[in-house]
Amino acid sequence: VAETTNRRILVAATPEGPLAEKHFRIEDGAVPEPGEGEVLVRTVLLSIDPANRAWLQGRTYRDQVLPGEVMAGLVVGEVAAENGTGVPIGTYVVGDGGWAEYSVLPAGRVRQIEPAGDLAYHLGVFGPTGLTAYFGLFDVGRPAAGETVLVSAAAGATGSVVGQLARIHGCRVVGVTGSAAKNQVLTTRLGFDAAIDHRSPTFADDLRHACPNGVDVYFDNVGGHVLDSALRRMNTHGRIVCCGAVSQYDTGTPAPGPAGVPGLVVTKRLRMEGLLVFDYTQRFGEAVAALAGWLRAGELVELHDIVEGLANAPRALIGMLAGENVGKRIVRVGPDRLPATA
Ligand SMILES: NC(=O)c1ccc[n+]([C@@H]2O[C@H](COP(=O)([O-])OP(=O)(O)OC[C@H]3O[C@@H](n4cnc5c(N)ncnc54)[C@H](OP(=O)(O)O)[C@@H]3O)[C@@H](O)[C@H]2O)c1
């Protein structure tokens, strides 16, 4: 490997309240050598996900990321060296590389990809968020044409795909975001029927007006007061897809619940069901083929939002939690390909 320095971002402290730059620190070290069965991956793109914040707190499906450790994150990168794996140098892979210019991973823990087209698609529409949208909507939400589908964080990576898939499926689609500018994108570019603002003091009324026939499927990315209001608008036999609760991630003390929920679930015979996209690994091919078809046909628009430079990763995550991003937020860490050396 020509490069000798490996810039990494480590967790400096576990946040107790809102995430800040002081919770991270940059460290320059040596590029690691892959051990037997491992590959060295040069990071090109780093995925920024709301779950990154939850991992710092530790209440999730993976181990807490502790102070002194490299911040965890999904990357798309190029294999720069390998040790007895048979993976050719120059292969493009997706893996849990973390916030670093280079990372060493077991060959069995990276997924090889065909780097045709825009690499960002492998973190967005063909990555965990696009796949979550597909399986969450169709397998868990199971909407019928003509039904009303409500989705929160609707201009984000997952929500923007959910809403478009529901529209393609023939549903009436209503989005919830935190800004008028995002709502404009939903109704003018992505074909949503209506979009409302969760920061509005009249949110509950706005929801009622936007969903005159009630809600059949609520795809919940945020929890909190949006879920409270959505529960009250659900139709009998409605389905709530519990995908995430981003409104509760940026704190050491999430709001308690769900005190009044069971009564509503009983009287309306609702189904609330969680999903983790990794449970669908065996079916990723089916989803990617379907998503690629809709993209090719121009029915599905992919939105991503690139922040330049690894050093800006903390700011990119903090900004995402504040609602800055439109589409899939990604940090560009390095060029797609290194210039050829003589
Ligand atoms: N279950 C799974 O396997 C799986 C996989 C991937 C993602 N997820 C979940 O899916 C959800 C969306 O993730 P994503 O990667 O697609 O992120 P994203 O939607 O692209 O970005 C997060 C968005 O959440 C919204 N938000 C932040 N704080 C909020 C609050 N207090 N109330 C309401 N909205 C708030 C912000 O937009 P606005 O406020 O402007 O709307 C922000 O842009 C997250 O909960 C994530 O954990 C789950």
Side-chain angles (χ1 to χ4, degrees):
V1 186
E3 248 349 283
T4 53
T5 312
N6 182 24
R7 173 155 289 196
R8 310 179 304 162
I9 298 183
L10 280 66
V11 178
T14 299
E16 281 167 16
L19 189 66
E21 290 195 52
K22 67 176 181 199
H23 297 119
F24 299 97
R25 68 185 160 83
I26 293 186
E27 194 174 273
D28 289 336
V31 175
E33 295 279 336
E36 178 76 33
E38 292 179 334
V39 291
L40 174 70
V41 177
R42 178 183 68 82
T43 306
V44 177
L45 300 175
L46 166 66
S47 178
I48 298 294
D49 297 276
N52 298 158
R53 174 64 186 88
W55 300 341
L56 288 171
Q57 221 68 43
R59 297 173 299 253
T60 68
Y61 48 88
R62 65 174 287 158
D63 290 343
Q64 182 178 11
V65 190
L66 294 167
E69 293 179 352
V70 175
M71 181 58 197
L74 192 71
V75 308
V76 172
E78 182 184 18
V79 172
E82 62 84 37
N83 187 341
T85 65
V87 180
I89 309 286
T91 302
Y92 276 76
V93 295
V94 177
D96 205 353
W99 292 20
E101 289 174 329
Y102 288 89
S103 56
V104 161
L105 290 165
R109 298 280 307 278
V110 298
R111 188 166 52 84
Q112 300 190 22
I113 57 166
E114 194 48 59
D118 193 334
L119 286 179
Y121 280 47
H122 295 284
L123 294 180
V125 66
F126 301 144
T129 51
L131 297 167
T132 298
Y134 179 91
F135 292 111
L137 182 67
F138 293 130
D139 270 59
V140 183
R142 295 180 219 151
E147 287 191 326
T148 296
V149 174
L150 175 72
V151 54
S152 49
T158 309
S160 63
V161 178
V162 168
Q164 293 183 84
L165 296 187
R167 189 247 300 136
I168 291 167
H169 200 66
C171 300
R172 174 178 164 79
V173 185
V174 178
V176 178
T177 79
S179 88
K182 288 186 184 183
N183 286 347
Q184 181 84 11
V185 171
L186 297 188
T187 51
T188 58
R189 285 191 62 195
L190 305 187
F192 282 56
D193 294 288
I196 54 175
D197 189 335
H198 63 77
R199 297 182 207 271
S200 160
T202 57
F203 176 71
D205 278 345
D206 301 345
L207 179 60
R208 188 159 45 80
H209 289 303
C211 305
N213 300 321
V215 175
D216 299 294
V217 174
Y218 171 44
F219 195 106
D220 185 23
N221 282 318
V222 306
H225 84 92
V226 179
L227 172 60
D228 273 354
S229 296
L231 267 164
R232 283 164 180 74
R233 292 302 304 156
M234 295 304 294
N235 290 331
T236 306
H237 295 297
R239 292 126 273 157
I240 299 180
V241 183
C242 301
C243 175
V246 64
S247 74
Q248 306 302 312
Y249 293 170
D250 200 13
T251 171
T253 51
V261 171
L264 278 168
V265 172
V266 172
T267 50
K268 294 174 182 240
R269 283 83 96 202
L270 303 179
R271 176 162 58 81
M272 287 182 87
E273 186 175 337
L275 88 147
L276 272 182
V277 66
F278 311 108
D279 292 342
Y280 291 89
T281 315
Q282 300 303 320
R283 290 177 54 200
F284 281 1
E286 160 203 330
V288 168
L291 292 162
W294 288 313
L295 282 167
R296 262 196 314 274
E299 293 181 81
L300 177 62
V301 174
E302 202 269 351
L303 297 176
H304 55 255
D305 165 299
I306 306 267
V307 173
E308 292 295 332
L310 179 64
N312 289 319
R315 238 168 294 162
L317 177 56
I318 293 163
M320 154 179 265
L321 294 167
E324 223 175 64
N325 61 305
V326 177
K328 173 68 205 162
R329 177 151 274 197
I330 290 169
V331 170
R332 177 174 294 282
V333 177
D336 280 10
R337 282 180 194 284
L338 292 176
T341 43

mmCIF file of all heavy atoms in Angstrom, residues 176-180 183 196-209 225-226 229:
data_model
loop_
_atom_site.group_PDB
_atom_site.id
_atom_site.type_symbol
_atom_site.label_atom_id
_atom_site.label_comp_id
_atom_site.label_asym_id
_atom_site.label_seq_id
_atom_site.Cartn_x
_atom_site.Cartn_y
_atom_site.Cartn_z
ATOM 1 N N VAL A 176 -44.093 12.639 6.645
ATOM 2 C CA VAL A 176 -43.852 13.553 7.768
ATOM 3 C C VAL A 176 -42.361 13.880 7.776
ATOM 4 O O VAL A 176 -41.529 12.955 7.757
ATOM 5 C CB VAL A 176 -44.210 12.888 9.120
ATOM 6 C CG1 VAL A 176 -43.912 13.842 10.281
ATOM 7 C CG2 VAL A 176 -45.658 12.427 9.150
ATOM 8 N N THR A 177 -42.036 15.177 7.771
ATOM 9 C CA THR A 177 -40.632 15.590 7.924
ATOM 10 C C THR A 177 -40.602 16.784 8.880
ATOM 11 O O THR A 177 -41.653 17.207 9.369
ATOM 12 C CB THR A 177 -39.977 16.039 6.595
ATOM 13 O OG1 THR A 177 -40.390 17.385 6.305
ATOM 14 C CG2 THR A 177 -40.310 15.128 5.433
ATOM 15 N N GLY A 178 -39.406 17.345 9.066
ATOM 16 C CA GLY A 178 -39.271 18.491 9.955
ATOM 17 C C GLY A 178 -39.065 19.804 9.224
ATOM 18 O O GLY A 178 -38.622 20.772 9.839
ATOM 19 N N SER A 179 -39.356 19.877 7.917
ATOM 20 C CA SER A 179 -39.165 21.164 7.234
ATOM 21 C C SER A 179 -40.032 21.295 5.987
ATOM 22 O O SER A 179 -40.325 20.311 5.302
ATOM 23 C CB SER A 179 -37.689 21.365 6.852
ATOM 24 O OG SER A 179 -37.404 20.807 5.594
ATOM 25 N N ALA A 180 -40.405 22.555 5.710
ATOM 26 C CA ALA A 180 -41.221 22.851 4.531
ATOM 27 C C ALA A 180 -40.445 22.535 3.256
ATOM 28 O O ALA A 180 -41.018 22.045 2.274
ATOM 29 C CB ALA A 180 -41.640 24.316 4.546
ATOM 30 N N ASN A 183 -40.674 18.922 2.584
ATOM 31 C CA ASN A 183 -42.029 18.541 2.162
ATOM 32 C C ASN A 183 -42.272 18.898 0.700
ATOM 33 O O ASN A 183 -42.969 18.189 -0.025
ATOM 34 C CB ASN A 183 -43.063 19.184 3.093
ATOM 35 C CG ASN A 183 -43.080 18.486 4.444
ATOM 36 O OD1 ASN A 183 -42.509 17.406 4.582
ATOM 37 N ND2 ASN A 183 -43.713 19.094 5.435
ATOM 38 N N ILE A 196 -46.484 16.698 5.759
ATOM 39 C CA ILE A 196 -46.737 17.573 6.908
ATOM 40 C C ILE A 196 -45.489 17.636 7.790
ATOM 41 O O ILE A 196 -44.589 16.794 7.683
ATOM 42 C CB ILE A 196 -47.959 17.095 7.722
ATOM 43 C CG1 ILE A 196 -47.803 15.620 8.136
ATOM 44 C CG2 ILE A 196 -49.246 17.280 6.931
ATOM 45 C CD1 ILE A 196 -48.919 15.132 9.035
ATOM 46 N N ASP A 197 -45.470 18.656 8.665
ATOM 47 C CA ASP A 197 -44.265 18.998 9.435
ATOM 48 C C ASP A 197 -44.462 18.604 10.896
ATOM 49 O O ASP A 197 -45.382 19.113 11.556
ATOM 50 C CB ASP A 197 -44.039 20.510 9.301
ATOM 51 C CG ASP A 197 -42.706 20.952 9.879
ATOM 52 O OD1 ASP A 197 -42.184 20.257 10.772
ATOM 53 O OD2 ASP A 197 -42.209 22.008 9.442
ATOM 54 N N HIS A 198 -43.572 17.731 11.417
ATOM 55 C CA HIS A 198 -43.748 17.283 12.814
ATOM 56 C C HIS A 198 -43.434 18.380 13.815
ATOM 57 O O HIS A 198 -43.717 18.245 15.003
ATOM 58 C CB HIS A 198 -42.927 16.017 13.101
ATOM 59 C CG HIS A 198 -41.447 16.168 12.991
ATOM 60 N ND1 HIS A 198 -40.680 16.767 13.950
ATOM 61 C CD2 HIS A 198 -40.569 15.767 12.022
ATOM 62 C CE1 HIS A 198 -39.399 16.738 13.582
ATOM 63 N NE2 HIS A 198 -39.312 16.137 12.412
ATOM 64 N N ARG A 199 -42.828 19.481 13.349
ATOM 65 C CA ARG A 199 -42.540 20.592 14.274
ATOM 66 C C ARG A 199 -43.720 21.560 14.377
ATOM 67 O O ARG A 199 -43.692 22.485 15.188
ATOM 68 C CB ARG A 199 -41.303 21.372 13.797
ATOM 69 C CG ARG A 199 -40.031 20.530 13.780
ATOM 70 C CD ARG A 199 -38.836 21.386 13.348
ATOM 71 N NE ARG A 199 -37.803 20.591 12.731
ATOM 72 C CZ ARG A 199 -36.809 19.993 13.393
ATOM 73 N NH1 ARG A 199 -36.722 20.103 14.693
ATOM 74 N NH2 ARG A 199 -35.908 19.274 12.736
ATOM 75 N N SER A 200 -44.738 21.391 13.544
ATOM 76 C CA SER A 200 -45.875 22.316 13.556
ATOM 77 C C SER A 200 -46.659 22.175 14.865
ATOM 78 O O SER A 200 -46.926 21.060 15.313
ATOM 79 C CB SER A 200 -46.788 21.994 12.363
ATOM 80 O OG SER A 200 -48.065 22.525 12.596
ATOM 81 N N PRO A 201 -47.075 23.319 15.451
ATOM 82 C CA PRO A 201 -47.884 23.224 16.678
ATOM 83 C C PRO A 201 -49.253 22.594 16.412
ATOM 84 O O PRO A 201 -49.920 22.134 17.337
ATOM 85 C CB PRO A 201 -48.019 24.689 17.138
ATOM 86 C CG PRO A 201 -47.609 25.536 15.985
ATOM 87 C CD PRO A 201 -46.742 24.701 15.079
ATOM 88 N N THR A 202 -49.666 22.551 15.138
ATOM 89 C CA THR A 202 -50.973 21.953 14.818
ATOM 90 C C THR A 202 -50.787 20.573 14.170
ATOM 91 O O THR A 202 -51.619 20.139 13.380
ATOM 92 C CB THR A 202 -51.762 22.872 13.858
ATOM 93 O OG1 THR A 202 -50.946 23.074 12.673
ATOM 94 C CG2 THR A 202 -52.077 24.217 14.480
ATOM 95 N N PHE A 203 -49.687 19.877 14.530
ATOM 96 C CA PHE A 203 -49.357 18.622 13.846
ATOM 97 C C PHE A 203 -50.521 17.610 13.850
ATOM 98 O O PHE A 203 -50.835 17.032 12.806
ATOM 99 C CB PHE A 203 -48.106 17.989 14.463
ATOM 100 C CG PHE A 203 -47.778 16.658 13.857
ATOM 101 C CD1 PHE A 203 -47.290 16.575 12.563
ATOM 102 C CD2 PHE A 203 -48.007 15.472 14.550
ATOM 103 C CE1 PHE A 203 -47.022 15.345 11.966
ATOM 104 C CE2 PHE A 203 -47.733 14.240 13.967
ATOM 105 C CZ PHE A 203 -47.244 14.183 12.677
ATOM 106 N N ALA A 204 -51.168 17.409 14.998
ATOM 107 C CA ALA A 204 -52.229 16.390 15.072
ATOM 108 C C ALA A 204 -53.367 16.736 14.100
ATOM 109 O O ALA A 204 -53.893 15.850 13.404
ATOM 110 C CB ALA A 204 -52.746 16.253 16.509
ATOM 111 N N ASP A 205 -53.718 18.018 14.022
ATOM 112 C CA ASP A 205 -54.772 18.440 13.080
ATOM 113 C C ASP A 205 -54.302 18.301 11.637
ATOM 114 O O ASP A 205 -55.052 17.862 10.758
ATOM 115 C CB ASP A 205 -55.118 19.928 13.310
ATOM 116 C CG ASP A 205 -56.089 20.085 14.461
ATOM 117 O OD1 ASP A 205 -56.688 19.067 14.866
ATOM 118 O OD2 ASP A 205 -56.214 21.224 14.956
ATOM 119 N N ASP A 206 -53.041 18.679 11.401
ATOM 120 C CA ASP A 206 -52.492 18.576 10.039
ATOM 121 C C ASP A 206 -52.549 17.118 9.568
ATOM 122 O O ASP A 206 -52.849 16.834 8.408
ATOM 123 C CB ASP A 206 -51.033 19.060 9.992
ATOM 124 C CG ASP A 206 -50.880 20.514 10.439
ATOM 125 O OD1 ASP A 206 -51.904 21.226 10.500
ATOM 126 O OD2 ASP A 206 -49.738 20.922 10.748
ATOM 127 N N LEU A 207 -52.261 16.208 10.500
ATOM 128 C CA LEU A 207 -52.275 14.777 10.163
ATOM 129 C C LEU A 207 -53.697 14.336 9.783
ATOM 130 O O LEU A 207 -53.898 13.602 8.806
ATOM 131 C CB LEU A 207 -51.753 13.971 11.363
ATOM 132 C CG LEU A 207 -51.705 12.459 11.206
ATOM 133 C CD1 LEU A 207 -50.794 12.044 10.053
ATOM 134 C CD2 LEU A 207 -51.219 11.795 12.497
ATOM 135 N N ARG A 208 -54.659 14.819 10.546
ATOM 136 C CA ARG A 208 -56.061 14.448 10.275
ATOM 137 C C ARG A 208 -56.473 14.955 8.887
ATOM 138 O O ARG A 208 -57.078 14.219 8.102
ATOM 139 C CB ARG A 208 -56.951 15.053 11.367
ATOM 140 C CG ARG A 208 -58.398 14.591 11.329
ATOM 141 C CD ARG A 208 -59.086 14.785 12.686
ATOM 142 N NE ARG A 208 -58.796 16.084 13.275
ATOM 143 C CZ ARG A 208 -59.396 17.238 12.935
ATOM 144 N NH1 ARG A 208 -60.332 17.238 12.005
ATOM 145 N NH2 ARG A 208 -59.063 18.372 13.512
ATOM 146 N N HIS A 209 -56.085 16.189 8.555
ATOM 147 C CA HIS A 209 -56.448 16.750 7.239
ATOM 148 C C HIS A 209 -55.743 16.010 6.102
ATOM 149 O O HIS A 209 -56.327 15.805 5.037
ATOM 150 C CB HIS A 209 -56.102 18.239 7.172
ATOM 151 C CG HIS A 209 -57.004 19.078 8.034
ATOM 152 N ND1 HIS A 209 -58.371 19.090 7.897
ATOM 153 C CD2 HIS A 209 -56.734 19.911 9.066
ATOM 154 C CE1 HIS A 209 -58.916 19.890 8.802
ATOM 155 N NE2 HIS A 209 -57.936 20.399 9.532
ATOM 156 N N HIS A 225 -43.631 11.696 19.546
ATOM 157 C CA HIS A 225 -44.985 12.260 19.423
ATOM 158 C C HIS A 225 -45.609 11.985 18.065
ATOM 159 O O HIS A 225 -46.839 11.977 17.935
ATOM 160 C CB HIS A 225 -44.965 13.767 19.753
ATOM 161 C CG HIS A 225 -44.587 14.645 18.607
ATOM 162 N ND1 HIS A 225 -45.522 15.198 17.759
ATOM 163 C CD2 HIS A 225 -43.384 15.072 18.153
ATOM 164 C CE1 HIS A 225 -44.899 15.936 16.841
ATOM 165 N NE2 HIS A 225 -43.600 15.868 17.061
ATOM 166 N N VAL A 226 -44.788 11.717 17.041
ATOM 167 C CA VAL A 226 -45.360 11.393 15.723
ATOM 168 C C VAL A 226 -46.064 10.031 15.809
ATOM 169 O O VAL A 226 -47.189 9.863 15.314
ATOM 170 C CB VAL A 226 -44.270 11.396 14.624
ATOM 171 C CG1 VAL A 226 -44.875 11.029 13.272
ATOM 172 C CG2 VAL A 226 -43.576 12.756 14.554
ATOM 173 N N SER A 229 -49.426 10.443 17.659
ATOM 174 C CA SER A 229 -50.504 10.989 16.824
ATOM 175 C C SER A 229 -50.947 9.975 15.772
ATOM 176 O O SER A 229 -52.141 9.852 15.486
ATOM 177 C CB SER A 229 -50.041 12.266 16.116
ATOM 178 O OG SER A 229 -49.756 13.260 17.054
#
